[in-house]
Short mmCIF file of all heavy atoms in Angstrom, two decimals:
data_model
loop_
_atom_site.label_atom_id
_atom_site.label_comp_id
_atom_site.label_asym_id
_atom_site.label_seq_id
_atom_site.Cartn_x
_atom_site.Cartn_y
_atom_site.Cartn_z
N LEU A 998 121.74 48.71 111.55
CA LEU A 998 122.11 50.00 112.14
C LEU A 998 122.36 51.07 111.10
O LEU A 998 122.28 52.27 111.40
CB LEU A 998 123.35 49.81 113.02
CG LEU A 998 123.20 48.83 114.18
CD1 LEU A 998 124.51 48.71 114.94
CD2 LEU A 998 122.07 49.25 115.09
N THR A 999 122.70 50.66 109.90
CA THR A 999 123.03 51.60 108.84
C THR A 999 122.15 51.34 107.63
O THR A 999 121.96 50.19 107.25
CB THR A 999 124.50 51.48 108.43
OG1 THR A 999 125.33 51.60 109.58
CG2 THR A 999 124.87 52.56 107.42
N LYS A 1000 121.62 52.41 107.05
CA LYS A 1000 120.79 52.31 105.86
C LYS A 1000 121.30 53.30 104.83
O LYS A 1000 121.83 54.37 105.17
CB LYS A 1000 119.33 52.60 106.20
CG LYS A 1000 118.76 51.68 107.27
CD LYS A 1000 117.33 52.06 107.62
CE LYS A 1000 116.81 51.17 108.75
NZ LYS A 1000 115.40 51.52 109.10
N TYR A 1001 121.09 52.95 103.58
CA TYR A 1001 121.52 53.82 102.49
C TYR A 1001 120.48 53.74 101.39
O TYR A 1001 120.00 52.67 101.06
CB TYR A 1001 122.89 53.38 101.97
CG TYR A 1001 123.47 54.27 100.92
CD1 TYR A 1001 123.96 55.53 101.24
CD2 TYR A 1001 123.54 53.86 99.59
CE1 TYR A 1001 124.49 56.36 100.27
CE2 TYR A 1001 124.07 54.68 98.62
CZ TYR A 1001 124.55 55.93 98.96
OH TYR A 1001 125.07 56.75 98.01
N TYR A 1002 120.12 54.91 100.83
CA TYR A 1002 119.07 54.97 99.82
C TYR A 1002 119.56 55.70 98.57
O TYR A 1002 120.38 56.62 98.63
CB TYR A 1002 117.87 55.74 100.37
CG TYR A 1002 117.21 55.09 101.56
CD1 TYR A 1002 117.56 55.44 102.85
CD2 TYR A 1002 116.22 54.12 101.39
CE1 TYR A 1002 116.95 54.85 103.95
CE2 TYR A 1002 115.59 53.53 102.48
CZ TYR A 1002 115.97 53.90 103.75
OH TYR A 1002 115.36 53.31 104.83
N ALA A 1003 118.99 55.29 97.46
CA ALA A 1003 119.17 56.06 96.23
C ALA A 1003 118.42 57.37 96.38
O ALA A 1003 117.38 57.44 97.05
CB ALA A 1003 118.64 55.27 95.04
N ASP A 1004 118.94 58.41 95.77
CA ASP A 1004 118.31 59.72 95.88
C ASP A 1004 116.86 59.69 95.39
O ASP A 1004 116.01 60.43 95.91
CB ASP A 1004 119.10 60.75 95.08
CG ASP A 1004 120.43 61.10 95.74
OD1 ASP A 1004 120.59 60.82 96.94
OD2 ASP A 1004 121.31 61.63 95.03
N SER A 1005 116.59 58.87 94.41
CA SER A 1005 115.26 58.84 93.80
C SER A 1005 114.18 58.31 94.75
O SER A 1005 112.99 58.54 94.52
CB SER A 1005 115.29 57.98 92.54
OG SER A 1005 115.71 56.66 92.84
N VAL A 1006 114.57 57.61 95.81
CA VAL A 1006 113.59 57.04 96.73
C VAL A 1006 113.71 57.58 98.15
O VAL A 1006 112.88 57.28 99.01
CB VAL A 1006 113.67 55.49 96.76
CG1 VAL A 1006 113.57 54.92 95.36
CG2 VAL A 1006 114.94 55.02 97.45
N LYS A 1007 114.72 58.37 98.39
CA LYS A 1007 114.97 58.89 99.73
C LYS A 1007 113.77 59.68 100.22
O LYS A 1007 113.23 60.52 99.51
CB LYS A 1007 116.22 59.76 99.72
CG LYS A 1007 116.87 59.95 101.06
CD LYS A 1007 118.20 60.68 100.88
CE LYS A 1007 119.21 59.87 100.11
NZ LYS A 1007 120.52 60.55 100.00
N GLY A 1008 113.34 59.39 101.44
CA GLY A 1008 112.18 60.06 102.00
C GLY A 1008 110.86 59.39 101.69
O GLY A 1008 109.84 59.72 102.30
N ARG A 1009 110.85 58.47 100.73
CA ARG A 1009 109.62 57.76 100.36
C ARG A 1009 109.68 56.28 100.71
O ARG A 1009 108.66 55.68 101.06
CB ARG A 1009 109.34 57.91 98.86
CG ARG A 1009 109.18 59.33 98.39
CD ARG A 1009 108.74 59.38 96.92
NE ARG A 1009 109.72 58.77 96.03
CZ ARG A 1009 109.45 57.74 95.21
NH1 ARG A 1009 108.24 57.23 95.18
NH2 ARG A 1009 110.39 57.26 94.42
N PHE A 1010 110.85 55.69 100.58
CA PHE A 1010 111.04 54.26 100.83
C PHE A 1010 111.79 54.07 102.14
O PHE A 1010 112.65 54.87 102.51
CB PHE A 1010 111.85 53.61 99.71
CG PHE A 1010 111.14 53.50 98.38
CD1 PHE A 1010 109.95 54.17 98.13
CD2 PHE A 1010 111.67 52.72 97.37
CE1 PHE A 1010 109.30 54.07 96.91
CE2 PHE A 1010 111.04 52.60 96.15
CZ PHE A 1010 109.86 53.28 95.91
N THR A 1011 111.47 52.97 102.82
CA THR A 1011 112.16 52.61 104.05
C THR A 1011 112.54 51.14 104.01
O THR A 1011 111.67 50.27 103.81
CB THR A 1011 111.27 52.86 105.28
OG1 THR A 1011 110.90 54.25 105.32
CG2 THR A 1011 112.03 52.53 106.56
N ILE A 1012 113.82 50.88 104.19
CA ILE A 1012 114.29 49.50 104.23
C ILE A 1012 114.41 49.07 105.69
O ILE A 1012 114.79 49.87 106.55
CB ILE A 1012 115.64 49.35 103.49
CG1 ILE A 1012 116.02 47.89 103.33
CG2 ILE A 1012 116.74 50.16 104.17
CD1 ILE A 1012 117.22 47.67 102.42
N SER A 1013 114.07 47.82 105.95
CA SER A 1013 114.17 47.30 107.30
C SER A 1013 114.42 45.80 107.23
O SER A 1013 114.37 45.20 106.15
CB SER A 1013 112.91 47.60 108.11
OG SER A 1013 111.77 46.98 107.53
N ARG A 1014 114.66 45.21 108.39
CA ARG A 1014 114.90 43.78 108.42
C ARG A 1014 114.50 43.22 109.79
O ARG A 1014 114.55 43.92 110.79
CB ARG A 1014 116.36 43.46 108.13
CG ARG A 1014 117.36 44.01 109.13
CD ARG A 1014 118.77 43.93 108.60
NE ARG A 1014 119.15 42.54 108.35
CZ ARG A 1014 120.14 42.18 107.53
NH1 ARG A 1014 120.84 43.10 106.89
NH2 ARG A 1014 120.44 40.90 107.36
N ASP A 1015 114.13 41.97 109.77
CA ASP A 1015 113.83 41.23 111.00
C ASP A 1015 114.71 39.98 110.95
O ASP A 1015 114.34 38.98 110.31
CB ASP A 1015 112.35 40.87 111.07
CG ASP A 1015 111.97 40.22 112.39
OD1 ASP A 1015 112.85 39.67 113.06
OD2 ASP A 1015 110.78 40.27 112.73
N ASN A 1016 115.83 40.04 111.61
CA ASN A 1016 116.77 38.92 111.53
C ASN A 1016 116.24 37.66 112.20
O ASN A 1016 116.63 36.55 111.84
CB ASN A 1016 118.12 39.33 112.12
CG ASN A 1016 118.88 40.29 111.23
OD1 ASN A 1016 118.63 40.36 110.02
ND2 ASN A 1016 119.78 41.05 111.82
N ASP A 1017 115.36 37.83 113.16
CA ASP A 1017 114.77 36.64 113.79
C ASP A 1017 113.92 35.86 112.79
O ASP A 1017 113.79 34.64 112.90
CB ASP A 1017 113.91 37.06 114.99
CG ASP A 1017 114.75 37.55 116.15
OD1 ASP A 1017 115.95 37.19 116.21
OD2 ASP A 1017 114.21 38.29 116.99
N LYS A 1018 113.35 36.58 111.84
CA LYS A 1018 112.52 35.95 110.81
C LYS A 1018 113.29 35.74 109.51
O LYS A 1018 112.72 35.24 108.53
CB LYS A 1018 111.28 36.79 110.54
CG LYS A 1018 110.34 36.91 111.72
CD LYS A 1018 109.11 37.74 111.36
CE LYS A 1018 108.16 37.83 112.54
NZ LYS A 1018 106.95 38.65 112.22
N ASN A 1019 114.56 36.16 109.49
CA ASN A 1019 115.38 36.04 108.28
C ASN A 1019 114.69 36.72 107.09
O ASN A 1019 114.69 36.18 105.96
CB ASN A 1019 115.65 34.57 107.95
CG ASN A 1019 117.14 34.26 107.93
OD1 ASN A 1019 117.95 34.91 108.61
ND2 ASN A 1019 117.53 33.28 107.14
N THR A 1020 114.13 37.87 107.34
CA THR A 1020 113.32 38.55 106.32
C THR A 1020 113.69 40.02 106.27
O THR A 1020 113.96 40.65 107.30
CB THR A 1020 111.82 38.40 106.64
OG1 THR A 1020 111.49 37.01 106.68
CG2 THR A 1020 110.97 39.08 105.57
N MET A 1021 113.68 40.56 105.04
CA MET A 1021 113.93 41.98 104.83
C MET A 1021 112.69 42.61 104.22
O MET A 1021 111.88 41.92 103.59
CB MET A 1021 115.12 42.19 103.88
CG MET A 1021 116.42 41.61 104.40
SD MET A 1021 116.56 39.81 104.18
CE MET A 1021 116.77 39.68 102.42
N TYR A 1022 112.56 43.90 104.36
CA TYR A 1022 111.37 44.60 103.89
C TYR A 1022 111.75 45.88 103.16
O TYR A 1022 112.80 46.47 103.40
CB TYR A 1022 110.46 44.95 105.06
CG TYR A 1022 110.09 43.78 105.93
CD1 TYR A 1022 110.79 43.50 107.09
CD2 TYR A 1022 109.04 42.93 105.57
CE1 TYR A 1022 110.46 42.41 107.89
CE2 TYR A 1022 108.71 41.84 106.36
CZ TYR A 1022 109.42 41.59 107.51
OH TYR A 1022 109.09 40.51 108.29
N LEU A 1023 110.85 46.29 102.29
CA LEU A 1023 110.96 47.60 101.65
C LEU A 1023 109.59 48.22 101.66
O LEU A 1023 108.71 47.79 100.91
CB LEU A 1023 111.50 47.48 100.22
CG LEU A 1023 111.78 48.81 99.54
CD1 LEU A 1023 112.96 49.53 100.21
CD2 LEU A 1023 112.07 48.62 98.04
N GLN A 1024 109.41 49.20 102.53
CA GLN A 1024 108.16 49.95 102.59
C GLN A 1024 108.24 51.08 101.58
O GLN A 1024 109.16 51.91 101.66
CB GLN A 1024 107.92 50.50 103.99
CG GLN A 1024 106.69 51.35 104.13
CD GLN A 1024 105.40 50.57 103.94
OE1 GLN A 1024 105.26 49.47 104.46
NE2 GLN A 1024 104.46 51.13 103.20
N MET A 1025 107.29 51.12 100.66
CA MET A 1025 107.31 52.11 99.59
C MET A 1025 106.07 52.98 99.69
O MET A 1025 104.94 52.48 99.57
CB MET A 1025 107.38 51.42 98.23
CG MET A 1025 108.53 50.42 98.11
SD MET A 1025 108.69 49.73 96.45
CE MET A 1025 107.16 48.82 96.33
N ASN A 1026 106.26 54.26 99.92
CA ASN A 1026 105.17 55.21 100.02
C ASN A 1026 105.24 56.25 98.91
O ASN A 1026 106.29 56.40 98.26
CB ASN A 1026 105.22 55.92 101.38
CG ASN A 1026 105.08 54.96 102.55
OD1 ASN A 1026 104.39 53.93 102.45
ND2 ASN A 1026 105.70 55.29 103.67
N SER A 1027 104.17 56.94 98.71
CA SER A 1027 104.10 58.00 97.69
C SER A 1027 104.62 57.50 96.34
O SER A 1027 105.43 58.15 95.68
CB SER A 1027 104.91 59.22 98.14
OG SER A 1027 104.44 59.73 99.37
N LEU A 1028 104.12 56.36 95.95
CA LEU A 1028 104.60 55.75 94.71
C LEU A 1028 104.13 56.53 93.50
O LEU A 1028 103.03 57.10 93.48
CB LEU A 1028 104.10 54.31 94.62
CG LEU A 1028 104.82 53.32 95.54
CD1 LEU A 1028 104.01 52.04 95.70
CD2 LEU A 1028 106.20 53.00 95.00
N GLY A 1029 104.99 56.55 92.50
CA GLY A 1029 104.67 57.19 91.24
C GLY A 1029 104.93 56.24 90.09
O GLY A 1029 105.58 55.20 90.28
N PRO A 1030 104.44 56.56 88.90
CA PRO A 1030 104.67 55.69 87.74
C PRO A 1030 106.14 55.39 87.50
O PRO A 1030 106.47 54.31 86.98
CB PRO A 1030 104.07 56.48 86.58
CG PRO A 1030 103.04 57.35 87.22
CD PRO A 1030 103.60 57.72 88.56
N GLU A 1031 107.01 56.29 87.90
CA GLU A 1031 108.45 56.08 87.70
C GLU A 1031 109.00 54.97 88.59
O GLU A 1031 110.14 54.53 88.39
CB GLU A 1031 109.22 57.38 87.97
CG GLU A 1031 109.21 57.85 89.42
CD GLU A 1031 107.97 58.64 89.80
OE1 GLU A 1031 107.00 58.66 89.02
OE2 GLU A 1031 107.98 59.22 90.92
N ASP A 1032 108.22 54.52 89.55
CA ASP A 1032 108.64 53.43 90.42
C ASP A 1032 108.26 52.06 89.86
O ASP A 1032 108.60 51.03 90.46
CB ASP A 1032 108.03 53.60 91.81
CG ASP A 1032 108.51 54.86 92.51
OD1 ASP A 1032 109.74 55.10 92.51
OD2 ASP A 1032 107.66 55.60 93.03
N THR A 1033 107.56 52.06 88.75
CA THR A 1033 107.19 50.79 88.12
C THR A 1033 108.43 50.03 87.68
O THR A 1033 109.27 50.56 86.95
CB THR A 1033 106.28 51.04 86.91
OG1 THR A 1033 105.05 51.60 87.35
CG2 THR A 1033 106.02 49.75 86.15
N ALA A 1034 108.56 48.81 88.16
CA ALA A 1034 109.75 48.01 87.89
C ALA A 1034 109.60 46.64 88.53
O ALA A 1034 108.68 46.41 89.32
CB ALA A 1034 111.00 48.69 88.44
N VAL A 1035 110.51 45.76 88.18
CA VAL A 1035 110.66 44.52 88.92
C VAL A 1035 111.67 44.78 90.03
O VAL A 1035 112.76 45.30 89.78
CB VAL A 1035 111.17 43.37 88.02
CG1 VAL A 1035 111.38 42.11 88.84
CG2 VAL A 1035 110.18 43.11 86.88
N TYR A 1036 111.29 44.45 91.24
CA TYR A 1036 112.12 44.71 92.40
C TYR A 1036 112.79 43.42 92.87
O TYR A 1036 112.11 42.40 93.01
CB TYR A 1036 111.28 45.31 93.53
CG TYR A 1036 110.96 46.77 93.30
CD1 TYR A 1036 110.04 47.15 92.32
CD2 TYR A 1036 111.59 47.77 94.03
CE1 TYR A 1036 109.76 48.49 92.08
CE2 TYR A 1036 111.31 49.11 93.81
CZ TYR A 1036 110.40 49.46 92.83
OH TYR A 1036 110.12 50.79 92.60
N TYR A 1037 114.08 43.52 93.13
CA TYR A 1037 114.88 42.38 93.53
C TYR A 1037 115.54 42.64 94.88
O TYR A 1037 116.04 43.74 95.12
CB TYR A 1037 116.00 42.11 92.52
CG TYR A 1037 115.54 41.83 91.12
CD1 TYR A 1037 115.34 42.86 90.21
CD2 TYR A 1037 115.35 40.52 90.70
CE1 TYR A 1037 114.93 42.60 88.91
CE2 TYR A 1037 114.95 40.24 89.39
CZ TYR A 1037 114.74 41.29 88.51
OH TYR A 1037 114.33 41.02 87.23
N CYS A 1038 115.59 41.63 95.72
CA CYS A 1038 116.41 41.72 96.92
C CYS A 1038 117.69 40.93 96.67
O CYS A 1038 117.73 40.01 95.85
CB CYS A 1038 115.68 41.20 98.15
SG CYS A 1038 115.24 39.46 98.12
#
């Protein structure tokens, strides 16, 4: 019900979850070189 984003990704990334599948997601759009990183949940 509640989501919170870092300013650097706000408007480009969307976090979601499917509790029935015990899975979380991060949809990342409009990616730039500054988004290059290892991503951890």
Side-chain angles (χ1 to χ4, degrees):
L998 300 179
T999 306
K1000 303 177 183 180
Y1001 185 72
Y1002 297 94
D1004 288 342
S1005 59
V1006 306
K1007 201 172 295 183
R1009 300 187 299 122
F1010 290 12
T1011 301
I1012 189 171
S1013 62
R1014 63 193 298 159
D1015 185 338
N1016 288 338
D1017 289 338
K1018 296 181 179 179
N1019 239 28
T1020 302
M1021 299 79 71
Y1022 306 96
L1023 186 68
Q1024 177 67 43
M1025 306 185 295
N1026 299 328
S1027 302
L1028 286 163
E1031 67 277 11
D1032 296 312
T1033 295
V1035 177
Y1036 283 72
Y1037 301 88
C1038 63

